[in-house]
Structure formats: C-alpha cells, structure tokens
Amino acid sequence: MSHDPPHIPLPEFPPYLKRERPASRAERTRQALLEAAFLEIYLKGFRAASLSDILEVSGCTKGALYHHFTDKHALGLAALGDAFHRFLDHNWYQPLAGTDDPVTELRRIIERHVNGELGVDPRLGCPINNLSQEMSPIDEEFRLFLSGVLAEWRGHIADALERGKAAGTVRADVDAEGVAAYIVATHQGVSGMLKTTRDISLAEKCAHSYFDYLEHLRA
Amino acid sequence: MSHDPPHIPLPEFPPYLKRERPASRAERTRQALLEAAFLEIYLKGFRAASLSDILEVSGCTKGALYHHFTDKHALGLAALGDAFHRFLDHNWYQPLAGTDDPVTELRRIIERHVNGELGVDPRLGCPINNLSQEMSPIDEEFRLFLSGVLAEWRGHIADALERGKAAGTVRADVDAEGVAAYIVATHQGVSGMLKTTRDISLAEKCAHSYFDYLEHLRA
DNA sequence: AGAAACATACCAACCGGTCGGTTTTTATAT
DNA sequence: ATATAAAAACCGACCGGTTGGTATGTTTCT
C-alpha cells in the first residue's frame, strides 16, 4: 500500500507572480532560486523542502545558493516574503483600496477564491496558512515574519472597513480590527478544511455562511 | 542568531486523555508508545516527529515499537485516531448531544477554548488542524483519515442544529450541514491564527464576531 | 588583476527500518 | 504446583539513504 497521493501536477504560476526578466546573470540565478524555493516550500512545507530539489528545479548549484543566501532560513524567508506580498497586494490590497464598499468587494474576493481564479490550488491550500501552521510553533523567526504578514493583511481589511464606515456602507458600530481578524481567520480556516476534504461543495456552503455574516455588517 | 522559539514546556495531558492503567505489560508499552507518539507528533508534526525521541520518552526500544506497529504511519494513525476521538467526544460530541439549544452550547464550547480550559496550548494550536495542514497534500492515507474525522465532527454539529430546528431554538431555514462546515472551518482558522500571532485579544475579538454569527442562527 | 559568481566533492548528523538474539509470558502436560 | 516448550514481547547494533552545510577550486565579469 502506498501513502502517496494521486499525482498532483505542479500548479501554474499565476501571472502576477511572474517576474520580469532581470538583467544581470547573478540576479537571474537569484530569482531562479527564489522561485524554485517558493514552489518547493509550497509543495512540501519548509522543513521537508529539499535543497537538492530546489537546486535541481532552479538549475543552480550549492555554490550559487550559498553565495546568495546565508542558509536555508534566509532563502525561505526571502522567497516567501516576496511571494506573499505579491499575492496579497494583487488579490486583496489593491481591490480593497479602490472601494468604499468593502463588503461587496470582500464578497468578490472570496468568490474569486472559491472559483479558483487566483491560481491557488485548493488541494495545496493557502501558502500563508500552510507556513503558519508548520513553522510558528517551532521557529520564532518564522513566526514573527508570518505574524507581520497577517497583521498587514488584517490592517488592509480594517482600513477598508473604516472607510466603509465613513462612507456609510458599513455599520458604524463595527469593530473594524476585530472583524478583520475574524475574516482572515475564517478565510484560512475554510481553505484549510478544503485541503483535507477536497469537497468543493463544502467551500460553497461555507461561502454562503460567510456572505451571511458579511452582509450583516452593512449599514 | 537562534531560530528556536522561547522554551515551551510540555503541555499537561488533560485528564480525559489519560488512560486507565492497562493490565498486561504488553498493553502498557503499547499505550506508552501511543501517548509518547501523540505528544511528539503534536509538538513537531508527523514528518519531523523522531522515532528515537518517541522511544526515549516512552522508555521503549525499537524492537518493541516495531513489534506493535508495522511502521511510523501505523503508529501515527493509531495515536492520532485515539486522541482525536477522545478529545472531540469529550469537548464537542457529549456537550452537543445533551441539548436542544445548540447555539448556546456552541458558545459555551468556544468560550472554553478561548479561556484555555481544554488543555489545548494556543501556541501549538489544534492538533487536528495541524495534522490536516501538514499531511493532507502529501499523504492520501492521512488525508482520508483526517477527512473522516472532520466529517464526523461536522456531523455531530449538524445533528445538534437539526435538533435545535425541531425544538424551535434554531431558525428553520438554516442549512445545518453548511453551517456546521462553516463553524468547524472558522474554529480551525481562529486557532490557527492564534498559533502565529499569540495575541489572545485577537481570539476574544474573533469570538465576538463568531458569537454574532451564531446568534444570527436563533429562531 | 581582482572580485564576484559559481561549481563540486565532501562531511557529520540524523532518519526510518531491519534483523538476529534474548527475555518474559502463556499454554499445556504431568 | 511444577516443568517445559512454544509463542509473544522486547532489545539494540546496524544499514542505506538523505539532510543542510562547508571548503576548496574554477569560471565569469568588471
């Protein structure tokens, strides 16, 4: 009996995660390492991520790796910080920044997730959540890094909610920070459950309850 | 610079996870292995869990381990299945089974979690969630096992909601299964976020939104 | 020429798992 | 109750494989 899951094809990199071709050769290998590292860590987690595999995928060698990064930690943090910021900026920060009706915009964002439009493989889950769960209890540096990412994420949602309150689209008694925390947590929870059940109908049902809650915030 | 987190003392085993003294010596070593394995896996995750450490903690040897279990997988599944079922039965199934007012009971259960009364270290998170996140994408056997645990969990909540509908404490138009899924997912999400932020005030704020949502289900 | 960028052979530590041998328990016969 | 043989339970040295990291040498760019 094998423990291997049915073959999972490598997820396509969504276009906004693609980088423009860098000029110098050194920078090119650096980017190749970052990209391969992110993919490997996303697929296997940080601890199980193999440097040899990263080197194979990126086409680099150990010498290049340890020339650009001090150790596995530094490589991982660089790769993740980069990818996380791009993803959140493109899918959350920018949409939220452009509206005074955050409830409607949050619904859109969730819908895009459920519909699989964001290039996040539901079987693999949200990489931010994955890393949080794996590394927070055992590595303080990772925990602080991820805690910062989550705080920034909540901050952008809270800002949008505050603007909604000012614009009269959101109830005035809403605790923006608390609701932002709840929204992020729920989002992570649903994507986590999906990873295990692989039952898309569950995601749709959850989204329904999710929307019920969000509508409840309207002025 | 060290990546180690500040020292985390071993969590106390909540009493309902303690086992009565088994009679035979063989059964005693089996239980010692299960207990040590659960603790080690809870602390480090399955892949990072070290058999040598499990043996040291349990006071057993490799020979004993591989006499009782075919391999690491079997040991892990046995240890986790056992612990999960006890935990859920004591903290969720039994309380929910004894009421026709599931909303009030769910509030109580959440409150107990937030207050740390259940012996779950918020820094380490919910073990079911931890294992789900780590193993689901890379091991089909684990995924199916965890998927079953989650389904059972949702099932007990859905049953309680249905009883609430019949008893008139829950709105008749509530989709019990969908809401149960949402409740479990949100619960996992909050406990996951707490693991990274370590900010208890966030848990309280999330609980507030959580309760808002739950109250919204009342008839 | 000198520095930055890379390549490769190598290392100790650890991993899960195996296997031949020893001890303890159990079943049976007396 | 005791002897004994078979089976279950346990022990621990050992194995091949992988890991992250290093040291030394070579190529490429400025």
Side-chain angles (χ1 to χ4, degrees), chain A residues 61-98:
Chain A
T61 64
K62 273 245 171 96
L65 200 170
Y66 280 91
H67 173 76
H68 287 282
F69 304 94
T70 67
D71 57 5
K72 197 189 182 189
H73 259 87
L75 172 65
L77 287 173
L80 295 170
D82 190 42
F84 289 173
H85 184 268
R86 286 184 206 218
F87 180 87
L88 291 174
D89 187 61
H90 186 270
N91 296 320
W92 290 78
Y93 303 165
Q94 287 185 20
L96 284 174

